[in-house]
Amino acid sequence: MSASTEVKAPVIVLVRPQLGENIGKAARAMLNFGLTELRLVSPRDGWPNPSAGPAAAGADEVLEQAEVFETLAEAVSDCANVYATTVRKRGVTKPVVTPEEAAREVHAAPGRSAYVFGPERSGLETEDVALARAILTVPINPAFASLNLAQAVILCAYEWSKGAALVQPTVEDLLPPAPQEELEGLIGHFEALLAPTKYFFPESRAAATRLTLRNMLTKPGWNSLEVRTMRGVLSALGRPARPE
Amino acid sequence: MSASTEVKAPVIVLVRPQLGENIGKAARAMLNFGLTELRLVSPRDGWPNPSAGPAAAGADEVLEQAEVFETLAEAVSDCANVYATTVRKRGVTKPVVTPEEAAREVHAAPGRSAYVFGPERSGLETEDVALARAILTVPINPAFASLNLAQAVILCAYEWSKGAALVQPTVEDLLPPAPQEELEGLIGHFEALLAPTKYFFPESRAAATRLTLRNMLTKPGWNSLEVRTMRGVLSALGRPARPE
């Protein structure tokens, strides 16, 4: 995957992060969805931070390449689209977007983009938000809006990744449903076994019963292997019982 | 937001979770997006677990209402749509969906739904996956697929919450898939009839054969009527043949 090297991959900016552990978790969340460019604005405990590595759980490349800046303005100076993430809307006159909308804009925008996250406890200051073109707010349960830093990062990275090339089709290796004639063979097998039993009685209901059975057996979309398995089951059931 | 009290809110099932801390984090992730029903299958350190509360960061109501089950089958017995979450596709013939697709299905489906998550280290076993109608896979960076439990939960809950406000019944007059316990009854019926035949021979293949059968029978999403019909078919096939 080279999504991370694509021009459109946004930068993740952590403003005055407090705990090294949370920086590591954010790095892990980023790399999970193909983001690699991390920028830190005045991390409280300096940088590098020994607590970050273990929490990154293998996302070391993100930490190693992390850049440190004095101010948010410097950290986003090369970015055309800056999103300030806040849990709740502030009383500012900027567009407010969801992670989904932001991701669409990031993919469409010609310049570089940045997602900016505030310190764990307090969030972004009004001055930080003022640097952003838009506010990114995760639509969260208002009765319990307790999103931590890495979770906010992962939701943004996840939404971005949907539009990136790294998303593979998911249903690719399912076998297709068996051809109709194999299905007919299976239905015929059922009917042949059921005929000698009282199953299709009374005669007046037989057609409807056959139809029900057919509808049921066409519903699964069983593939050829599965049809063959079910025929094996029927053969086993149709064998004369052991001598009694 | 009262999405959590809606009928359509899915259940979150943690199978053999190892750390109480992760159960707490999962509860927090759930409540962030309005999910409240947590079920635990054989948590390693028993339940309640003193480490869960602090990690839940206030999502105590989710932990207090959590239910404990011995087996996954019991935990999902009232659920019609069961999603097994795995990081990577397994070699099973079930549909594979993204969190987004699963959320759409959950909102459209008439019955209850469950998202099932495996133990932190190992993920779901093949036998667990066999109970599900579909596999839910987060499309993740294949070079760094290191999603932890709470992160997997939050992505699923987040996607579900997007559709929570605007729940339109789409497939309303289709009957929902039968509850899991009816499906278990059907599978048990098949196995009971097949046991006296040579079907599960040789013994070394029996477990795999049972698994294949189970996967096949969970695939159709048969409703209660259809399950009853198939049991009628089995009863007919199981009756002693007419005197010869």
Side-chain angles (χ1 to χ4, degrees):
Chain A
M1 182 187 74
S2 61
S4 56
T5 61
E6 258 189 286
V7 191
K8 297 293 169 58
V11 171
I12 298 294
V13 185
L14 306 185
V15 177
R16 298 179 298 280
Q18 302 174 288
L19 296 175
E21 194 192 344
N22 289 332
I23 300 172
K25 286 179 179 171
R28 177 185 182 178
M30 289 170 61
L31 193 56
N32 269 323
F33 293 103
L35 298 181
T36 55
E37 201 165 341
L38 176 62
R39 298 180 181 178
L40 305 173
V41 176
S42 297
R44 187 190 68 185
D45 300 332
W47 191 255
N49 183 320
S51 309
D60 302 308
E61 60 175 287
V62 176
L63 296 178
E64 282 157 16
Q65 296 166 17
E67 293 178 282
V68 181
F69 296 84
E70 285 272 317
T71 65
L72 176 57
E74 294 168 83
V76 296
S77 65
D78 60 340
C79 297
N81 312 290
V82 177
Y83 295 89
T85 64
T86 66
V87 169
R88 262 177 269 264
K89 275 166 264 181
R90 310 291 186 98
V92 288
T93 52
K94 288 185 197 287
V96 178
V97 297
T98 63
E100 199 173 3
E101 291 160 345
R104 257 199 304 272
E105 292 176 7
V106 166
H107 284 294
R112 297 216 70 185
S113 299
Y115 288 154
V116 180
F117 299 82
E120 292 91 323
R121 205 149 289 276
S122 52
L124 290 171
E125 299 291 333
T126 313
E127 294 70 37
D128 303 320
V129 177
L131 281 165
R133 293 210 195 288
I135 290 176
L136 190 161
T137 295
V138 179
I140 202 169
N141 179 355
F144 186 72
S146 158
L147 210 55
N148 71 24
L149 181 56
Q151 285 169 330
V153 170
I154 208 167
L155 293 175
C156 292
Y158 163 77
E159 283 289 5
W160 173 81
S161 79
K162 283 188 190 173
L166 63 104
V167 185
Q168 319 99 324
T170 50
V171 213
E172 80 216 276
D173 49 25
L174 278 183
L175 289 170
Q180 195 67 22
E181 63 179 339
E182 294 180 19
L183 203 59
E184 291 301 326
L186 176 65
I187 294 168
H189 198 156
F190 263 101
E191 293 192 348
L193 282 180
L194 287 169
T197 74
K198 295 281 179 201
Y199 191 73
F200 292 116
F201 268 51
E203 191 57 36
S204 59
R205 293 281 313 142
T209 305
R210 278 174 209 277
L211 202 59
T212 302
L213 189 63
R214 169 176 291 276
N215 276 327
M216 254 186 71
L217 293 172
T218 50
K219 185 173 182 180
W222 281 327
N223 61 43
S224 293
L225 269 176
E226 290 167 329
V227 167
R228 213 177 311 148
T229 300
M230 187 49 90
R231 295 200 64 165
V233 165
L234 292 182
S235 296
L237 293 178
R239 270 196 290 273
R242 300 139 305 164
E244 300 172 300
Chain B
M1 182 171 80
S2 62
S4 55
T5 61
E6 257 190 284
V7 192
K8 297 294 168 58
V11 172
I12 299 294
V13 185
L14 306 185
V15 177
R16 298 180 298 280
Q18 301 174 289
L19 297 174
E21 194 193 343
N22 289 330
I23 300 172
K25 286 180 178 173
R28 176 184 182 179
M30 287 171 61
L31 193 56
N32 270 325
F33 294 101
L35 297 183
T36 54
E37 201 164 341
L38 176 61
R39 298 181 181 177
L40 305 173
V41 176
S42 297
R44 188 190 66 184
D45 301 331
W47 189 256
N49 182 322
S51 310
D60 302 308
E61 61 176 284
V62 176
L63 295 178
E64 281 157 17
Q65 298 166 15
E67 292 178 284
V68 180
F69 297 84
E70 286 271 317
T71 66
L72 176 57
E74 294 167 80
V76 298
S77 66
D78 60 340
C79 296
N81 311 290
V82 178
Y83 295 90
T85 65
T86 67
V87 169
R88 262 179 268 265
K89 275 166 264 177
R90 311 291 188 97
V92 290
T93 52
K94 288 185 198 284
V96 179
V97 298
T98 63
E100 197 172 6
E101 291 162 342
R104 257 200 303 272
E105 291 177 7
V106 166
H107 285 296
R112 297 216 70 187
S113 299
Y115 288 155
V116 181
F117 299 83
E120 292 91 324
R121 205 149 288 275
S122 52
L124 289 171
E125 299 290 333
T126 313
E127 292 69 35
D128 303 320
V129 177
L131 280 165
R133 292 208 196 288
I135 291 176
L136 191 161
T137 295
V138 178
I140 202 171
N141 179 356
F144 186 71
S146 160
L147 210 55
N148 72 23
L149 182 56
Q151 285 170 331
V153 170
I154 208 168
L155 292 175
C156 292
Y158 163 75
E159 283 289 5
W160 174 81
S161 78
K162 283 189 193 173
L166 44 141
V167 188
Q168 324 96 322
T170 46
V171 216
E172 68 209 290
D173 45 29
L174 277 183
L175 287 171
Q180 196 74 19
E181 62 183 338
E182 294 180 17
L183 203 58
E184 292 299 326
L186 176 65
I187 293 168
H189 199 155
F190 263 101
E191 293 191 349
L193 282 181
L194 287 169
T197 75
K198 295 283 181 202
Y199 191 74
F200 292 116
F201 267 50
E203 192 56 39
S204 59
R205 294 279 313 142
T209 304
R210 278 174 209 277
L211 203 60
T212 301
L213 189 63
R214 170 176 288 277
N215 275 324
M216 255 186 69
L217 293 172
T218 50
K219 186 174 181 180
W222 280 327
N223 60 44
S224 293
L225 269 176
E226 290 168 327
V227 167
R228 214 177 311 146
T229 299
M230 186 48 90
R231 295 198 64 164
V233 165
L234 292 182
S235 296
L237 293 179
R239 272 195 289 274
R242 299 138 306 161
E244 298 173 303

